[in-house]
Amino acid sequence: MEPKENGNQSDHVIEGPTNPMVTPLLNDLYQFTMAYAYWKANKQNERSVFDLYFRKNPFGGEYTVFAGLDECIKFLANFKLTNQEIDYVRDSLPGSEEAFCDYLRGLDCSDVEVYAIPEGSVVFPKVPLMRVEGPVGVVQLLETPFLNLVNFASLVATNAARHRFVAGKSKSLLEFGARRAQGPDGAISASKYCYLGGFDATSNVAAGKLFGIPLRGTHSHAFVSSFMSTDEIVDKVLHSADGETTCEDFVSLVQTWLTKIQYLPSLRGFFSETNQSELAAFISYALAFPKAFLALVDTYDVMKSGIPNFCAVALALNDLGYKALGIRLDSGDLAYLSTETRKFFCTVENELKVPGFGKMVVTASNDLNEETIDALNKQGHEVDAFGIGTYLVTCYAQAALGCVFKLVEINNQPRIKLSEDVTKVSIPCKKRSYRLYGKEGYPLVDIMTGENEPPPKVGERLLCRHPFNESKRAYVVPQRVEELLKCYWRGSADEAREELPPLKDIRDRCIKQLENMRSDHMRRLNPTPYKVSVSAKLYDFIHFLWLNEAPVGELQ
Amino acid sequence: MEPKENGNQSDHVIEGPTNPMVTPLLNDLYQFTMAYAYWKANKQNERSVFDLYFRKNPFGGEYTVFAGLDECIKFLANFKLTNQEIDYVRDSLPGSEEAFCDYLRGLDCSDVEVYAIPEGSVVFPKVPLMRVEGPVGVVQLLETPFLNLVNFASLVATNAARHRFVAGKSKSLLEFGARRAQGPDGAISASKYCYLGGFDATSNVAAGKLFGIPLRGTHSHAFVSSFMSTDEIVDKVLHSADGETTCEDFVSLVQTWLTKIQYLPSLRGFFSETNQSELAAFISYALAFPKAFLALVDTYDVMKSGIPNFCAVALALNDLGYKALGIRLDSGDLAYLSTETRKFFCTVENELKVPGFGKMVVTASNDLNEETIDALNKQGHEVDAFGIGTYLVTCYAQAALGCVFKLVEINNQPRIKLSEDVTKVSIPCKKRSYRLYGKEGYPLVDIMTGENEPPPKVGERLLCRHPFNESKRAYVVPQRVEELLKCYWRGSADEAREELPPLKDIRDRCIKQLENMRSDHMRRLNPTPYKVSVSAKLYDFIHFLWLNEAPVGELQ
């Protein structure tokens, strides 16, 4: 994360966004109508500063994980309209002059600067995630793509972090959302950003390949019901794990174990005949993956069929030196079933003297979310791994984050956007922002200042003011000061700027930052808001500008 | 929509999916582990039939619009794993045999058949939207991509249809969601399927270009606040609409009108000084687009600044033979502001004798959804066009549709998936389905039958049974019988099959079908469920199979 020395990256070409559909046309038409109007008014090159930020943390929480920066920079670095795209834009702006096409043809981001908080950071409302500076004509064309690339990325990363928080560090969290996601890259980007937010693996093969995320997956109910009986299994041979011996009839070996389990003293009468199509499916799966046997046990009846069938196959594998992985539950009362399953495994371990059998992995899937995991925790359960799909990847609890992109300065003139709703008033000026840490190492407050104010100093008392609420202010003596906005783009890939780290490093940053937050900001119920402030000087200026721009009402 | 004659399409190549990231790797890993296990068991070519359907209509409604079929067929037609993809899959399945790679290399959909309900149809729970038949190894690999391509498409098309229903036919509906959508093609596919579901236009330029959807967009708050005053406007010349005359100082013309408005008898004291940066922005925008002037009026104060400024510019344009389009409101009380705006326009029309000025378009856009439009309707408003973003494109009210893909037959053996939750039990057998219409031309009931049962006949009494509830059944005498599943793929693009119609035709079908539904199914409050049934024969078979597969419990 150290800035590269000047020129160090001169032969680096930044590759394009993951999705080739991310082009300058992934844009609202009004960005082009405005570009045309700026150009007509000869304003297109006026130097402008825009802040990208959100106003409210999602999911009723008090924190957000910032994600999507990498894709924004890749988009920026490759920003160029093709002739075909330019023709389409021209045809979409009736009455536009041909010379505007020349302007579009020449557009790139060589005169744009992007400062941003590093991706994977924990971030808060109102503090700019990105500060984008450059000619107003081109910067305006970055608004929609940047918002699109940041909004969902940050939302789903935050959702993942929240799921991790409730599940706890020791559980495996698997993202299983591809089928229910909002379209193809709703799936692929959810996989990417859930991993960033602290998940361990995904089922999504494309995302695994693109981003190096560990993959997980075994089989479905259809696989189980595609078998009729064990008679279908033709090749019954299985070599032992060490290759030394060969079992000629693995099916019979399994059946022998099934009978043994059935007559174990503590399991007598627990189950009678198990489902034969299920047994055949488990055996076939074990023959295909003897080293990685994990079975879905709820196609017919978990305790009377799935678990006994699984144990029989696992014990047969054990005879040949293989260690089965465990089971997956995809329906029913997961607290009850996981606990019963664990008991069953422990009975097998104890009565058949198979060390470790009780520790078999129990994976649960079936419409899980923050609330259901929290409820499972309260009831007590024996789940080791959660496979989470729909609610995670679509951010069902809150399907959108409201990042905005606001003009804060043009031609060195600070600009403010007013609104009757005070939470929608923008904070004007090209700004810097800092995170101030307290004695215990936790972040205490974020503060925004004007660009030319001196930075806060360690050990020096500083007044932090709420940007809009006169009475909310506090003195802080920071023990550490971190400047939040770092340079990620200054005209080209050659210039001195932060590197774009690999996804794994961004994930590490995210996990570390989340761990370093004071716990009252993180809890699910009534979390304490993290404080976001402005300097006294910026406060005064905001309110000066506000009064200046707002019309005086007249009561009638 | 008529089937092509055999061979008619022999030189048609079906192009690939819109998003190049839709490849066979957009898949859950378990589809590949299963493919391997099927292949190891030499089962990979067993003939299987899967149904794709959903269990519950979204948004608390009683209907769904089916969408995404076109993308599924395009995916299917181009289904092929590259060597690089195959290598990645092999590496993801540890212990897999090299010969499996040869199997993957040879995989395509030349032995697959897809029957589907035409895209844009109104559809209901449990009735297969698609029936996919073919070798189990390859059909299993279609599950995740098909679900991904259908789930969000159908969800967002349904959401759009619901917004259209509440807004009414006469309003313009504009999709403005690109910035808040779930990723890049969350945006692009939302634009596509909102249009399909009855929207008129989108702001999304990429979607406009890809699918020929009409585009809309003017300017943002940033454009307004990027101006400081009218002094900035250098080129003030505007030629009249007919090219005959030239106004050398359009700024002065506007200012003259502003003063006139201010002193109109019924507006005296209504406003004093308007915001000068806003006025400058409106004038600049009008100079750029004199034929399409539409202004965002809420950057400072709608009634005291935005509307008077707009009217002044519109009246100046009117002098030169141009007709301004209208305004957009993006905040505040839309019912009140739109009504006040309309009054203002009418006052201008009447007192300044400008015919048609009162009919200026009022567009509203601020976090709109079904509920807010419904509330506006109840309050009374003067909005002509709604620009809808976040809630529409992310399907905020319900962010996922739960389509599933279930095995219903393999090797001519019907299969059933049981569940303790009866709504999750699958309907076995390769089936046909029909929509039966009543005397008044409305659809009455959908009925599924076994594949070889004779089809329902017009005028003949038929028993329709609820698939799982013994007591729910009814006789129907259909006046029209429509077979729902049509062939969209039979091994190749050459074979006789339905055409993939252009998006506009799919949209027309959707609008027509929605209009042809009985109104009690469509209403927002307590809609009547549309009936979905099975034939008596299929009913009996389902329950025979169910009893056969379910273990008999023992009360203890």
Side-chain angles (χ1 to χ4, degrees):
Chain A
M1 298 306 300
E2 290 299 310
K4 284 267 178 183
E5 274 177 63
N6 220 330
N8 220 2
Q9 304 190 324
S10 52
D11 44 11
H12 281 200
V13 175
I14 299 181
E15 62 195 14
T18 302
N19 188 338
M21 298 178 83
V22 179
T23 72
L25 290 206
L26 181 67
N27 232 322
D28 289 302
L29 181 66
Y30 80 0
Q31 313 290 8
F32 286 101
T33 54
M34 286 191 278
Y36 183 73
Y38 286 133
W39 175 81
K40 275 289 285 180
N42 199 28
K43 258 177 92 76
Q44 74 276 18
N45 291 325
E46 290 186 1
R47 196 85 189 157
S48 60
V49 182
F50 285 79
D51 282 349
L52 188 154
Y53 62 97
F54 60 92
R55 297 177 180 131
K56 200 172 180 313
N57 290 301
F59 310 118
E62 291 295 347
Y63 65 96
T64 299
V65 172
F66 173 44
L69 176 61
D70 178 90
E71 297 284 345
C72 288
I73 301 300
K74 287 173 173 169
F75 168 69
L76 191 76
N78 294 275
F79 184 98
K80 200 78 202 164
L81 285 138
T82 66
N83 284 333
Q84 203 208 15
E85 289 170 340
I86 290 167
D87 290 348
Y88 181 73
V89 168
R90 182 202 45 217
D91 296 346
S92 305
L93 303 180
S96 62
E97 294 169 27
E98 195 58 34
F100 179 61
C101 294
D102 299 331
Y103 167 66
L104 290 180
R105 237 181 303 279
L107 272 192
D108 61 27
C109 291
S110 58
D111 203 16
V112 172
E113 281 185 22
V114 177
Y115 281 73
I117 300 181
E119 186 162 4
S121 298
V122 177
V123 292
F124 304 98
K126 299 193 275 282
V127 182
L129 307 177
M130 297 170 73
R131 187 185 77 203
V132 186
E133 181 175 349
V136 67
V138 66
V139 174
Q140 196 79 74
L141 287 170
L142 302 176
E143 173 174 15
T144 309
F146 275 17
L147 288 173
N148 181 279
L149 292 169
V150 167
N151 264 324
F152 180 58
S154 300
L155 183 72
V156 75
T158 307
N159 203 18
R162 295 182 63 85
H163 280 77
R164 167 58 72 195
F165 183 83
V166 68
K169 270 190 189 184
S170 66
K171 303 296 175 188
S172 275
L173 291 184
L174 321 171
E175 177 270 312
F176 281 178
R179 63 189 58 198
R180 300 283 170 82
Q182 296 202 350
D185 75 12
I188 291 170
S189 53
S191 302
K192 176 179 180 182
Y193 296 114
C194 287
Y195 182 66
L196 187 159
F199 268 55
D200 296 300
T202 178
S203 65
N204 183 336
V205 183
K209 182 166 185 290
L210 281 165
F211 310 116
I213 306 171
L215 288 177
R216 290 295 175 79
T218 55
H219 67 83
S220 71
H221 295 119
F223 182 80
V224 174
S225 50
S226 79
F227 287 82
M228 302 296 286
S229 83
T230 51
D231 299 345
E232 281 178 69
I233 303 170
V234 180
D235 185 357
K236 304 174 183 181
V237 176
L238 184 61
H239 302 292
S240 64
D242 58 11
E244 304 274 307
T245 57
T246 298
C247 168
E248 295 296 336
D249 188 349
F250 187 67
V251 177
S252 294
L253 182 61
V254 170
Q255 276 158 337
T256 310
W257 274 114
L258 190 57
T259 313
K260 275 195 205 161
I261 301 168
Q262 203 169 352
Y263 292 102
L264 281 181
S266 28
L267 295 177
R268 197 167 300 223
F270 191 90
F271 66 96
S272 48
E273 248 179 277
T274 61
N275 187 291
Q276 288 304 292
S277 79
E278 181 178 68
L279 186 64
F282 288 2
I283 293 172
S284 283
Y285 194 80
L287 287 168
F289 296 104
K291 291 179 192 161
F293 179 58
L294 195 150
L296 176 63
V297 294
D298 67 340
T299 307
Y300 300 103
D301 186 299
V302 174
M303 298 314 301
K304 293 198 186 306
S305 183
I307 295 296
N309 279 339
F310 166 79
C311 288
V313 177
L315 289 163
L317 284 172
N318 185 60
D319 283 349
L320 299 170
Y322 297 104
K323 220 171 136 26
L325 298 182
I327 57 121
R328 178 161 70 96
L329 295 166
D330 190 39
S331 60
D333 180 336
L334 298 173
Y336 172 78
L337 290 172
S338 66
T339 310
E340 288 300 301
T341 296
R342 184 70 66 206
K343 279 190 212 156
F344 200 108
F345 289 164
C346 289
T347 302
V348 169
E349 166 158 357
N350 296 332
E351 302 205 7
L352 291 169
K353 310 281 176 246
V354 195
F357 203 94
K359 298 213 169 52
M360 206 73 76
V361 168
V362 175
T363 304
S365 45
N366 195 28
D367 283 350
L368 294 171
N369 59 28
E370 257 193 270
E371 275 63 41
T372 50
I373 295 173
D374 190 46
L376 282 172
N377 288 344
K378 284 171 183 153
Q379 291 165 78
H381 65 84
E382 286 288 339
V383 176
D384 305 296
F386 293 103
I388 312 181
T390 313
Y391 292 99
L392 176 69
V393 304
T394 65
C395 299
Y396 206 93
Q398 180 182 325
L401 180 66
C403 279
V404 295
F405 191 79
K406 293 291 170 194
L407 180 70
V408 294
E409 195 172 297
I410 189 161
N411 287 329
N412 298 312
Q413 297 293 320
R415 304 306 283 152
I416 191 167
K417 154 82 181 80
L418 301 184
S419 173
E420 297 196 14
D421 178 355
V422 73
T423 64
K424 285 193 165 187
V425 174
S426 65
I427 299 179
C429 303
K430 180 172 177 181
K431 298 179 289 293
R432 292 175 183 266
S433 34
Y434 304 90
R435 184 157 296 172
L436 309 184
Y437 291 81
K439 268 181 283 194
E440 285 155 351
Y442 297 123
L444 286 182
V445 61
D446 285 4
I447 185 167
M448 292 171 263
T449 73
E451 205 213 352
N452 298 317
E453 289 186 57
K457 287 208 184 77
V458 169
E460 275 187 20
R461 205 170 81 136
L462 179 74
L463 184 61
C464 297
R465 297 201 65 160
H466 186 289
F468 304 120
N469 186 330
E470 202 180 9
S471 66
K472 286 193 179 173
R473 59 226 153 122
Y475 284 106
V476 175
V477 182
Q479 300 305 305
R480 184 154 80 84
V481 174
E482 183 187 12
E483 178 149 21
L484 289 172
L485 291 171
K486 316 216 182 243
C487 182
Y488 281 88
W489 181 259
R490 195 180 283 147
S492 81
D494 297 9
E495 295 279 333
R497 55 162 187 83
E498 300 293 311
E499 264 191 287
L500 298 175
L503 180 60
K504 184 74 172 61
D505 294 1
I506 300 175
R507 180 176 187 268
D508 291 345
R509 159 181 280 274
C510 174
I511 292 171
K512 209 174 133 196
Q513 287 226 342
L514 289 164
E515 282 173 358
N516 197 36
M517 290 299 297
R518 222 173 55 204
S519 63
D520 59 322
H521 301 308
M522 310 303 285
R523 67 184 176 220
R524 294 185 64 241
L525 196 66
N526 294 330
T528 314
Y530 178 83
K531 285 184 181 53
V532 165
S533 67
V534 295
S535 67
K537 203 167 162 190
L538 184 54
Y539 178 90
D540 291 341
F541 188 73
I542 294 168
H543 293 266
F544 161 77
L545 210 62
W546 194 338
L547 285 176
N548 220 31
E549 295 281 2
V552 183
E554 236 169 275
L555 292 176
Q556 283 168 334
Chain B
M1 298 304 301
E2 291 299 309
K4 283 268 177 183
E5 275 176 60
N6 218 330
N8 220 3
Q9 304 190 325
S10 53
D11 44 11
H12 281 200
V13 174
I14 300 182
E15 63 195 15
T18 302
N19 188 338
M21 298 179 82
V22 179
T23 72
L25 291 206
L26 181 67
N27 233 320
D28 289 303
L29 181 66
Y30 80 178
Q31 313 290 9
F32 286 101
T33 56
M34 287 192 277
Y36 183 74
Y38 287 133
W39 176 81
K40 276 288 286 181
N42 199 28
K43 259 177 91 75
Q44 73 277 16
N45 290 325
E46 290 185 2
R47 196 86 189 156
S48 61
V49 182
F50 285 79
D51 283 348
L52 188 154
Y53 62 97
F54 59 93
R55 296 177 180 129
K56 199 172 181 313
N57 290 301
F59 310 117
E62 291 296 347
Y63 65 95
T64 299
V65 173
F66 172 43
L69 175 62
D70 178 269
E71 297 284 346
C72 288
I73 300 300
K74 288 174 173 169
F75 169 69
L76 191 76
N78 293 277
F79 184 98
K80 200 77 201 164
L81 285 139
T82 66
N83 284 332
Q84 203 209 15
E85 289 170 340
I86 290 168
D87 290 348
Y88 181 73
V89 168
R90 183 202 46 217
D91 296 345
S92 304
L93 304 178
S96 61
E97 294 168 28
E98 195 58 32
F100 178 61
C101 293
D102 299 332
Y103 166 67
L104 290 180
R105 237 182 302 278
L107 272 192
D108 61 28
C109 291
S110 58
D111 204 16
V112 173
E113 281 185 23
V114 176
Y115 281 73
I117 301 181
E119 186 162 5
S121 298
V122 177
V123 292
F124 304 98
K126 299 194 274 286
V127 182
L129 308 176
M130 298 171 72
R131 188 184 78 202
V132 186
E133 181 175 348
V136 68
V138 67
V139 175
Q140 195 80 74
L141 287 170
L142 302 176
E143 173 174 13
T144 309
F146 275 17
L147 288 173
N148 180 279
L149 292 169
V150 168
N151 264 324
F152 180 59
S154 300
L155 183 72
V156 75
T158 307
N159 203 17
R162 294 182 63 85
H163 281 76
R164 166 59 70 194
F165 183 83
V166 69
K169 270 189 187 184
S170 66
K171 303 296 175 189
S172 274
L173 291 185
L174 320 172
E175 177 271 311
F176 281 178
R179 63 189 57 198
R180 300 283 169 83
Q182 297 202 349
D185 74 13
I188 291 170
S189 53
S191 302
K192 176 179 180 182
Y193 296 114
C194 287
Y195 182 65
L196 187 160
F199 267 55
D200 296 300
T202 179
S203 65
N204 183 336
V205 183
K209 182 164 186 289
L210 281 165
F211 309 116
I213 306 172
L215 288 177
R216 290 295 175 79
T218 54
H219 68 83
S220 70
H221 296 120
F223 182 79
V224 173
S225 51
S226 78
F227 288 81
M228 302 297 286
S229 83
T230 52
D231 299 345
E232 281 177 70
I233 302 170
V234 180
D235 184 357
K236 305 174 181 183
V237 176
L238 184 61
H239 302 292
S240 64
D242 58 12
E244 306 273 306
T245 57
T246 298
C247 168
E248 296 295 336
D249 188 349
F250 186 68
V251 177
S252 294
L253 182 60
V254 170
Q255 276 158 336
T256 310
W257 274 114
L258 191 57
T259 312
K260 275 194 207 163
I261 301 169
Q262 202 170 352
Y263 291 100
L264 280 182
S266 27
L267 295 177
R268 197 167 300 223
F270 192 90
F271 66 96
S272 49
E273 248 179 277
T274 61
N275 187 291
Q276 289 303 293
S277 79
E278 182 178 67
L279 186 63
F282 288 1
I283 293 172
S284 284
Y285 195 79
L287 287 169
F289 296 104
K291 292 179 191 162
F293 178 58
L294 195 150
L296 176 63
V297 293
D298 67 339
T299 306
Y300 300 102
D301 187 299
V302 174
M303 298 314 300
K304 295 199 186 305
S305 183
I307 294 296
N309 278 338
F310 166 78
C311 289
V313 177
L315 289 164
L317 284 172
N318 186 59
D319 283 349
L320 299 170
Y322 297 103
K323 219 171 136 28
L325 299 182
I327 58 119
R328 179 160 71 94
L329 295 166
D330 190 39
S331 60
D333 180 335
L334 298 173
Y336 171 79
L337 290 172
S338 66
T339 310
E340 288 301 300
T341 296
R342 183 71 65 207
K343 278 191 214 158
F344 200 108
F345 289 165
C346 289
T347 301
V348 169
E349 167 159 358
N350 296 333
E351 303 207 6
L352 292 168
K353 310 279 176 247
V354 194
F357 202 94
K359 297 212 168 51
M360 206 72 77
V361 168
V362 175
T363 303
S365 61
N366 175 34
D367 281 350
L368 295 170
N369 59 27
E370 257 193 88
E371 275 64 42
T372 50
I373 295 173
D374 191 46
L376 282 173
N377 288 343
K378 284 171 184 153
Q379 292 166 76
H381 66 85
E382 287 288 340
V383 176
D384 306 295
F386 293 103
I388 313 181
T390 313
Y391 292 98
L392 176 70
V393 303
T394 66
C395 298
Y396 206 92
Q398 180 183 326
L401 180 67
C403 280
V404 295
F405 191 79
K406 292 291 170 193
L407 180 71
V408 294
E409 195 171 297
I410 188 160
N411 287 329
N412 297 312
Q413 297 293 322
R415 304 306 283 150
I416 190 168
K417 155 79 181 83
L418 302 183
S419 173
E420 298 195 13
D421 178 357
V422 72
T423 63
K424 285 194 165 185
V425 174
S426 64
I427 299 178
C429 302
K430 181 173 176 181
K431 297 179 289 292
R432 292 175 183 266
S433 36
Y434 304 90
R435 184 157 296 174
L436 309 183
Y437 291 79
K439 268 182 284 196
E440 285 156 350
Y442 296 124
L444 285 182
V445 61
D446 285 3
I447 185 168
M448 293 171 263
T449 73
E451 205 213 350
N452 298 317
E453 288 186 56
K457 287 207 182 79
V458 169
E460 273 187 20
R461 203 171 82 135
L462 180 74
L463 184 62
C464 297
R465 299 201 63 162
H466 186 288
F468 304 120
N469 187 331
E470 204 181 7
S471 66
K472 286 194 180 172
R473 60 228 154 121
Y475 284 106
V476 174
V477 182
Q479 300 305 304
R480 182 154 82 86
V481 174
E482 181 187 15
E483 179 151 19
L484 289 172
L485 291 170
K486 319 218 181 239
C487 182
Y488 281 89
W489 180 258
R490 195 180 283 147
S492 81
D494 297 10
E495 296 278 333
R497 54 163 188 83
E498 300 291 312
E499 264 192 284
L500 298 176
L503 180 60
K504 185 74 174 62
D505 294 2
I506 301 176
R507 179 178 188 268
D508 291 344
R509 159 180 281 275
C510 174
I511 292 170
K512 208 173 133 197
Q513 287 227 343
L514 289 165
E515 281 173 0
N516 197 35
M517 290 299 298
R518 223 174 54 205
S519 63
D520 59 321
H521 301 308
M522 310 303 285
R523 67 184 175 219
R524 294 185 66 240
L525 196 65
N526 295 330
T528 314
Y530 178 81
K531 286 186 181 49
V532 165
S533 68
V534 295
S535 67
K537 204 169 162 189
L538 183 56
Y539 178 89
D540 291 341
F541 187 74
I542 294 169
H543 292 266
F544 161 77
L545 210 63
W546 194 337
L547 284 176
N548 219 30
E549 295 280 3
V552 183
E554 237 169 275
L555 293 175
Q556 286 170 331

